[in-house]
Structures are given as structure tokens and as C-alpha cells.
Amino acid sequence: MSKFNMRLSMFKSFIKLTGGDYLPQLSSLGSNHLFLALCLIFISLGKNERAVAQQLNFGLNQKQPFEEIPHSEYSFQTSSRKTKKPVAGKLVALSNREYQLNEGWELLEGYKVRELQTSVHAPMLNTSDWYGATVPGTVLTTLVEQGVYPDPYWGLNNLLIPDTLCRMDWWYRNVFTIPQNKHGNRPKLIFNGINYRAEVWLNGKLLGNIDGAFCRGIFDISSIAKVGEANVLAVRVIPPSNPGIPHESCRAGIGPNGGVLCLDGPTFISSEGWDWNPATRDRNTGIWQDVRIVYANELELTDSQIITDLPLPDTTKVSFLIHTKVYNASTQLQDAKLHVQIGNVKAVHPFKIGAKEYKEIHLTPKQCKEL
């Protein structure tokens, strides 16, 4: 089903519930105009009609009755927890100054961590009861791969997985060695994505927090990291604040439009469960993007972007637009040069940057004729 037809189907159900006679007009509109029309109709609704719309938009306020839950003549699959295979933490080089930390991760429920007799930050902590974690991945990814729960994509196995997974915190842990690097003297720890919130600790020191599934966590660990020695990385991951109550089945009719999980952001909204999608029990909680160690120096480039400007229909020439950020980690004003090389195109842009300053640089052909 196309996005337009899916949206039209949802809106028809909405109009039917609200008692309005708008279907002929709505069917002739494009997708974007259809959405605008719905918004205008919603504004014009009475109090009772708005209550119906509220339920559609914000989901269930109690679990569905048993008779509305899916049933099958086939039995569920069984699961058996796998024997844990210890895997040492390991950094894999991606370049001469960047490493990826995907191996050696372990995972445990937050309430079990709080019951430990030894600190989660202790290098010699006994982690035999922890799960061998998959990173990048979600909590449920780990629990399925470790045999705690069966494959949720098979039959109705998903009903065996408790919804409590998205209503507790979890701890990830890794012990790894940070190598010396001749190309940089300031190691940074970078999380490219954690859902939904996190506290990040290294060697017992709180580095900071991450808030939002699409916010990177970037931490300067130059004063905390033990280069050439074992480092203990511990990350407390907290699920979305509004996990909602899953809509389990279309046996009850068309489901709510994602529910209250939309309050935490639209991207993972369907993981709460719609009529067409069973609930993802952990709501995609976990370290769902990769973790890296990157070495930098006093001057550092970040978030660089190169845009090619092709003056169509002319294809005989092209211009480049360059956007980047520069950070000066030193305590002194720096005279610096930005060197650009794109194939045979070379350019140099001099600039000054103050101590501890972030500076945005935007280069166009007017400022730099080589581009």
C-alpha cells in the first residue's frame, strides 16, 4: 500500500468515527493537502468528537481485552538461554585516528545492577550472569540472540515477550584497552545513537548524559582515559518516557495512530504497536548506533559537508560549497589554515580561532576562487 493510500485509509476511519461526511472531498486531495484538510477538520470538531480523535492519536489507556488479542492454532516456540562466551573488549581501527568499539559489550537489567555487591565500575567485576550484548543493537536484539526470548518474527512469539522491557533501565558495560596514537593526543568517546537517554561513565567518572535517540554523545576523555591500560566503560540506558500501551491486533479494528510514544519523537512511533505492526517490547531501547574512539589534536574539524552545485542544464562545470566546524581545544588564539582537496581541486583558507572557540566556516566560490 502506498503512503498516500495508507494515509487516506487512516483518515477515512477517522472521519467515520467522528461522524463527518468529508470522504468525497478528501479522496480527491493529494497527500499533503489531505493532511492539512484533516487538521482543519480537527479544529472544527466538537468536544465529543475531539475526544475520539484524542484516542486515535494518543492510543490506549488500558490493555486490550483477551478476546481482542491474536490467537493461533500453532504453539509458541521455546527459548533457552545460551551459554555465555566471554568476549574481550576490542577497538577495531577504521582509520589512522578512529576506532570502533563493537566487541566485548555486556548487558544487564538495571535493578540487578543495583543489587550487585561490587560496583559496576570495578575492573574485576564478576559479569558471568550478564548477557553478551550486541552493539550496535537494541536490548531485545541481545535478549533474542542470547536465547532469553524466542524470535518475535515467528508466529505469535512476540506475545511471550514482556512489555516490561521498555519500563526499566539497562546497563551496558565494556572493558577495553585504548592504544597510543601518534596522529592525535586527545581521545574522544563518541556514541552515534542511544535510545532514549543515557548516563555515560568511564573509569568511575560520569562523562555526561545523552538525551534523545538521534543526539550524538561526544565526550573528551583525554584526562580520564588510561592509554595502554584497561578502561571500564559503563552506560546506563533509559527507555523512552512515554512507552504507552500496545495495540496488539486488528481483531479490534483499526488501531490508534502510534499512541503516546509520539511525545518522545515521531521516528520510532510504530514500535508501540499499531493494527499493522505488533509492539516492539523494548521500544527499540539500547545502543542502536555504533560507538567510537576518535583521536583529535588542539584544532579539530567536525561535521564537514561538501555540496556540489551543478548549474543544470550546463554540465561542463561545477562549483563546490564547503561547510565545516572547527574547535580550538587550546588556551591560545590560533592562526590556522583549512586545506581542501577534492580530486585535482586544491584550496587553502586561512583563518583565526580563539581559545576554546567553536567556529563555523562556510566557503563558496566567491570567497575561494579555486572552488
Side-chain angles (χ1 to χ4, degrees):
M1 180 182 291
S2 67
K3 289 184 178 180
F4 174 80
N5 289 333
M6 183 179 295
R7 182 176 281 184
L8 179 60
S9 177
M10 291 166 50
F11 290 172
K12 283 182 178 180
S13 302
F14 171 85
I15 298 302
K16 182 178 179 181
L17 285 170
T18 55
D21 185 20
Y22 303 102
L23 292 182
Q25 297 91 328
L26 289 177
S27 299
S28 64
L29 295 177
S31 181
N32 293 332
H33 290 95
L34 185 62
F35 181 76
L36 177 60
L38 182 73
C39 295
L40 294 174
I41 291 169
F42 178 79
I43 294 172
S44 66
L45 295 177
K47 182 176 181 181
N48 293 336
E49 293 167 323
R50 287 193 182 187
V52 175
Q54 184 84 355
Q55 181 181 0
L56 278 176
N57 287 326
F58 289 96
L60 304 177
N61 54 23
Q62 59 185 5
K63 292 183 178 180
Q64 290 179 282
F66 176 77
E67 59 271 14
E68 293 183 0
I69 302 300
H71 301 288
S72 172
E73 60 185 71
Y74 299 100
S75 60
F76 297 104
Q77 286 183 321
T78 58
S79 57
S80 177
R81 183 170 176 179
K82 298 178 181 178
T83 301
K84 181 182 177 182
K85 297 180 180 179
V87 178
K90 180 182 178 182
L91 288 172
V92 177
L94 301 177
S95 70
N96 58 14
R97 63 174 69 228
E98 187 168 4
Y99 304 83
Q100 194 173 50
L101 181 60
N102 287 353
E103 298 182 34
W105 287 96
E106 298 174 302
L107 174 72
L108 193 64
E109 295 92 340
Y111 70 89
K112 292 182 181 179
V113 171
R114 287 185 282 277
E115 294 173 351
L116 295 175
Q117 300 300 311
T118 307
S119 169
V120 70
H121 309 295
M124 302 308 295
L125 174 68
N126 182 359
T127 60
S128 58
D129 291 334
W130 289 55
Y131 311 107
T134 301
V135 174
T138 66
V139 167
L140 185 56
T141 302
T142 290
L143 297 179
V144 170
E145 291 189 355
Q146 295 301 307
V148 180
Y149 299 113
D151 181 358
Y153 294 108
W154 191 95
L156 299 180
N157 282 347
N158 195 54
L159 294 175
L160 293 177
I161 304 174
D163 210 52
T164 52
L165 299 186
C166 66
R167 304 175 197 277
M168 66 174 78
D169 61 326
W170 298 82
W171 280 86
Y172 285 84
R173 190 176 184 274
N174 201 324
V175 181
F176 63 100
T177 300
I178 298 179
Q180 293 278 0
N181 189 289
K182 63 182 181 181
H183 298 284
N185 53 23
R186 290 177 45 247
K188 296 188 305 177
L189 176 64
I190 299 178
F191 290 85
N192 282 318
I194 288 181
N195 190 32
Y196 187 73
R197 293 185 175 88
E199 298 171 359
V200 181
W201 301 73
L202 183 66
N203 297 328
K205 304 289 185 180
L206 177 63
L207 299 180
N209 300 284
I210 304 172
D211 191 353
F214 294 90
C215 297
R216 286 178 301 172
I218 303 177
F219 306 100
D220 187 334
I221 59 173
S222 53
S223 63
I224 300 174
K226 301 175 182 178
V227 178
E229 301 179 29
N231 293 262
V232 180
L233 177 60
V235 186
R236 180 183 175 227
V237 175
I238 305 165
S241 300
N242 301 278
I245 299 174
H247 183 99
E248 299 287 3
S249 168
C250 57
R251 291 165 68 101
I254 294 176
N257 298 333
V260 297
L261 189 60
C262 65
L263 297 175
D264 296 316
T267 305
F268 295 141
I269 186 174
S270 62
S271 64
E272 183 181 334
W274 276 354
D275 48 7
W276 51 268
N277 185 63
T280 305
R281 299 308 185 187
D282 64 352
R283 305 298 191 274
N284 295 311
T285 298
I287 304 178
W288 73 285
Q289 294 282 4
D290 65 356
V291 182
R292 301 190 179 194
I293 297 289
V294 178
Y295 277 86
N297 290 306
E298 290 184 340
L299 290 183
E300 176 188 2
L301 288 178
T302 62
D303 299 331
S304 299
Q305 180 187 30
I306 299 176
I307 301 173
T308 53
D309 185 13
L310 191 65
L312 295 174
D314 183 3
T315 59
T316 62
K317 58 185 177 181
V318 65
S319 296
F320 295 108
L321 308 175
I322 296 178
H323 307 290
T324 190
K325 297 176 183 176
V326 184
Y327 175 59
N328 179 9
S330 75
T331 57
Q332 297 177 349
L333 174 70
Q334 299 270 8
D335 287 310
K337 293 179 181 179
L338 175 64
H339 294 261
V340 178
Q341 181 171 348
I342 308 169
N344 295 325
V345 177
K346 296 182 180 180
V348 178
H349 174 70
F351 64 96
K352 295 181 181 294
I353 183 169
K356 304 296 183 182
E357 179 186 358
Y358 273 102
K359 190 182 191 72
E360 293 191 11
I361 296 178
H362 305 283
L363 294 183
T364 69
K366 290 182 179 180
Q367 299 163 300
C368 190
K369 61 181 178 58
E370 293 86 355
L371 300 179

